[in-house]
Amino acid sequence: FMKRRKKWSRYPPGPASLPFLGTMFSVDFHNPHRSFSQLQKKFGNIFSLQNCWTNLVVLNGYKTVKEALVHKSEDFADRPPFPIYEHIGYGENSEGIVVARYGHVWKELRRFALSTLRNFGMGKKSLEEHVVEEAGFLCSEIMSEEGKSFDIQVLLKNAVCNMICHIVFGDRFDYGDETFKKLLQLFQNSLDEETGFLPQLLNVVPILVRIPGVPQKAFQAQKELMDFIDVAIEKHRKTWDPAYTRDITDVFLKEMEKGKAAEENGFHYNNLRLVTLDLFTAGSETTSTTIHWALLYMLLHPEIQSKVQEEIDRVIGRERPPAMTDQASMPYTNAVIHEVQRCGDVVPLGIPHRTYRDTELQGFFIPKGTTVIINLSSVLKDETVWEKPNEFYPEHFLDAKGQFVKPEAFLPFSAGRRACLGEQLARMELFLVFTTLLQKFTFVVPEDQPRPRVDSHFALTNSPHPYLLRALPR
Ligand code: HEM
């Protein structure tokens, strides 16, 4: 008992806790990373919160986050339960990848997804060729705007979502397709549904989410999104020919055929649905929002846009589509893309982790089962690391000779065992789409429009406020 008390006396400090709600009123759930930044100033890099009776610890700054995710990777590798997803099929042994508990099934599914993405060449084309082709479709759509002022956000979502559609269902949608429009709207609505006070409350008081009718009402878009995926998988299954692999769904179906052992490793129908949903939700919004930020920064910094275009003209020219092999010869463009990710700070709080065992961090005791929020925003803007943390400054990623360098605190994809598994794909999409766009167009603020806002809108991801641009063909 004494030992336990001594350990808990080293539990991280935090704001005063109220009965029942704990510290939930200390955080603005529509802007949590801003609240965390204030709490960090008051309590230091490791502080605690309490959502009702759930203990949370928030980790801030590069040094702390690195120690937890890299040096004590397994201690922090678990995920807390998310009862708000139960109504769409999450449960025991059916957790997909993103919110799966740390363990054997998560490992198998993660390894499966990583290796399938790596070997992607199942259709006739490589993943890189698909990305380049989609970037071409995107340019045609932009061209049809004829240099007039427009909002590019939906087109970017179309393009990036199509890349995931290729990987998952071996096909793409035309941008005007009504089903596609509906799908994209559902993504946005389901992100909005998962933001704010209510989902936080329902996650820590699961009995509320189990009241009949509540999840359907609170998470209608989430449910419709899952229904959409169910229909698509069913259609896919009907046309499946085991002799021919079209996409990741076919590879999964093949695994399922292997029988009981495969099923115990997580390869069953419910996980196919959930992994599919994971790839869409984790891989679409993040990447398209990053490109949306990239264009916003180009509007705000035309001199940087010109320097990127000079490099594109010199290394690739105006006609040949960009290729990943160009990246090594384009340090400036590469630095700009990295700085976009740092400033855009698209996943500011990552995805909640949970301690897998009792652990210690910088002298603090954190018990097993504590929810841990990794404040990635505080790493990407860490004043002890970055020369100009709150400015758009591509030189953060260039050495004195103009060569590309990547500071260790560049962690938009997080780190350790739960680090983003789509990082390679995302990097490829960012590089190929950004260079294709700037090869073909110069982006400017329309004369009648104000300078776009640089602050962000938070709904699990940080995205730019809507803005209009003109794309002038080069
Ligand atoms: C997890 C960022 C694109 C699939 C994550 C995490 C972050 C992140 C911060 C949480 C890591 C953690 O828990 O510590 C990003 C960013 C992207 C991007 C900034 C684009 C710019 C993608 C893409 C895919 C993907 C394209 C796949 C197609 C996943 C998956 C996880 C994940 C499956 C869960 C990993 C696990 O729990 O084991 N991502 N991501 N992401 N991401 Fe990404």
Side-chain angles (χ1 to χ4, degrees):
F1 175 71
M2 291 301 285
K3 227 167 149 185
R4 189 158 181 264
R5 265 191 66 165
K6 196 164 164 237
K7 276 181 175 175
W8 277 82
S9 69
R10 288 184 287 114
Y11 188 66
S17 179
L18 296 170
F20 182 68
L21 283 173
T23 61
M24 288 185 87
F25 283 124
S26 308
V27 178
D28 171 2
F29 289 105
H30 286 283
N31 250 319
H33 49 297
R34 308 247 162 87
S35 303
F36 291 171
S37 150
Q38 284 156 9
L39 291 166
Q40 180 189 3
K41 283 193 190 110
K42 197 160 173 197
F43 296 105
N45 284 338
I46 307 181
F47 60 82
S48 63
L49 294 169
Q50 205 185 323
N51 279 1
C52 295
W53 38 85
T54 300
N55 289 330
L56 276 87
V57 165
V58 184
L59 307 184
N60 301 276
Y62 170 61
K63 229 175 122 237
T64 312
V65 167
K66 184 179 176 187
E67 190 177 330
L69 296 187
V70 179
H71 301 312
K72 300 199 163 179
S73 188
E74 192 170 53
D75 291 6
F76 289 90
D78 206 0
R79 295 264 192 239
F82 290 88
I84 62 166
Y85 300 132
E86 282 172 12
H87 73 112
I88 49 171
Y90 284 86
E92 190 82 7
N93 297 327
S94 291
E95 299 178 318
I97 302 173
V98 176
V99 300
R101 301 291 308 270
Y102 178 69
H104 163 70
V105 172
W106 163 79
K107 265 187 203 156
E108 287 290 333
L109 292 180
R110 184 175 163 105
R111 195 172 336 159
F112 163 83
L114 271 171
S115 73
T116 315
L117 282 177
R118 201 173 304 124
N119 303 332
F120 201 93
M122 304 142 179
K124 292 192 186 78
K125 284 188 191 142
S126 71
L127 199 47
E128 180 171 346
E129 283 171 302
H130 277 306
V131 175
V132 169
E133 185 181 62
E134 195 60 48
F137 286 124
L138 175 63
C139 285
S140 308
E141 291 290 324
I142 297 174
M143 197 63 98
S144 68
E145 298 290 338
E146 297 176 330
K148 294 192 201 99
S149 139
F150 74 110
D151 182 348
I152 200 166
Q153 187 187 14
V154 176
L155 288 184
L156 297 177
K157 286 185 183 208
N158 281 321
V160 173
C161 189
N162 260 341
M163 294 171 198
I164 302 286
C165 284
H166 254 304
I167 293 170
V168 175
F169 296 131
D171 209 355
R172 63 180 293 279
F173 288 95
D174 283 334
Y175 290 9
D177 188 296
E178 287 306 317
T179 318
F180 197 31
K181 284 187 191 162
K182 171 115 201 285
L183 176 66
L184 293 171
Q185 193 55 53
L186 285 177
F187 278 132
Q188 189 53 51
N189 295 353
S190 73
L191 275 180
D192 291 339
E193 280 175 358
E194 291 166 44
T195 310
F197 185 84
L198 182 68
Q200 298 294 328
L201 182 70
L202 295 178
N203 264 334
V204 289
V205 193
I207 194 155
L208 297 177
V209 88
R210 289 175 197 141
I211 297 173
V214 168
Q216 288 75 2
K217 206 163 167 60
F219 303 109
Q220 197 187 342
Q222 215 182 63
K223 173 81 176 63
E224 282 182 45
L225 191 54
M226 198 72 242
D227 290 345
F228 176 93
I229 285 175
D230 284 339
V231 171
I233 293 181
E234 207 35 55
K235 210 166 122 198
H236 206 81
R237 220 150 70 142
K238 284 195 182 128
T239 54
W240 182 43
D241 173 1
Y244 182 65
T245 309
R246 296 167 292 185
D247 45 44
I248 200 167
T249 307
D250 280 356
V251 188
F252 201 104
L253 288 170
K254 223 175 207 164
E255 283 298 316
M256 278 167 58
E257 291 280 291
K258 291 184 184 161
K260 189 138 180 59
E263 190 175 340
E264 278 165 10
N265 286 340
F267 294 92
H268 51 72
Y269 188 68
N270 206 22
N271 264 338
L272 169 57
R273 309 163 65 230
L274 301 177
V275 169
T276 304
L277 182 68
D278 277 350
L279 294 177
F280 272 111
T281 48
S284 282
E285 171 77 14
T286 43
T287 314
S288 66
T289 302
T290 308
I291 305 170
H292 201 203
W293 277 117
L295 296 180
L296 184 143
Y297 285 117
M298 294 306 97
L299 296 182
L300 296 178
H301 302 278
E303 70 296 350
I304 295 179
Q305 178 169 199
S306 302
K307 278 179 84 172
V308 172
Q309 287 172 325
E310 271 166 34
E311 193 173 63
I312 292 173
D313 290 353
R314 186 160 34 80
V315 177
I316 308 173
R318 296 276 177 107
E319 296 305 324
R320 172 176 73 77
M324 285 314 285
T325 45
D326 294 319
Q327 199 179 29
S329 330
M330 301 175 70
Y332 191 74
T333 306
N334 208 7
V336 168
I337 295 172
H338 280 72
E339 184 65 352
V340 166
Q341 283 202 271
R342 190 191 70 78
C343 286
D345 185 12
V346 166
V347 194
L349 301 176
I351 299 167
H353 286 232
R354 184 155 113 143
T355 40
Y356 186 60
R357 56 173 72 92
D358 283 357
T359 188
E360 297 222 353
L361 199 62
Q362 295 176 1
F364 289 111
F365 168 68
I366 309 176
K368 176 181 173 172
T370 307
T371 298
V372 179
I373 308 291
I374 312 288
N375 187 354
L376 292 175
S377 188
S378 71
V379 180
L380 295 175
K381 310 271 165 82
D382 188 332
E383 287 172 6
T384 65
V385 177
W386 304 99
E387 196 184 329
K388 301 182 182 183
N390 298 311
E391 282 177 39
F392 188 78
Y393 185 61
E395 286 71 15
H396 282 136
F397 296 91
L398 293 168
D399 67 11
K401 292 187 186 138
Q403 289 307 306
F404 176 75
V405 282
K406 187 158 85 174
E408 281 190 24
F410 179 75
L411 292 184
F413 297 101
S414 191
R417 282 172 210 233
R418 299 303 291 236
C420 175
L421 74 73
E423 176 172 349
Q424 295 311 322
L425 171 64
R427 302 212 147 289
M428 192 196 312
E429 292 175 330
L430 294 179
F431 179 76
L432 294 174
V433 174
F434 183 67
T435 47
T436 307
L437 290 176
L438 264 63
Q439 180 189 42
K440 300 292 178 204
F441 302 98
T442 298
F443 295 91
V444 296
V445 182
E447 294 75 24
D448 59 349
Q449 287 296 311
R451 197 176 149 82
R453 288 170 65 168
V454 80
D455 60 326
S456 55
H457 164 76
F458 176 81
L460 298 188
T461 56
N462 263 339
S463 54
H465 290 279
Y467 65 86
L468 299 183
L469 52 66
R470 290 177 63 211
L472 309 177
R474 296 183 67 211

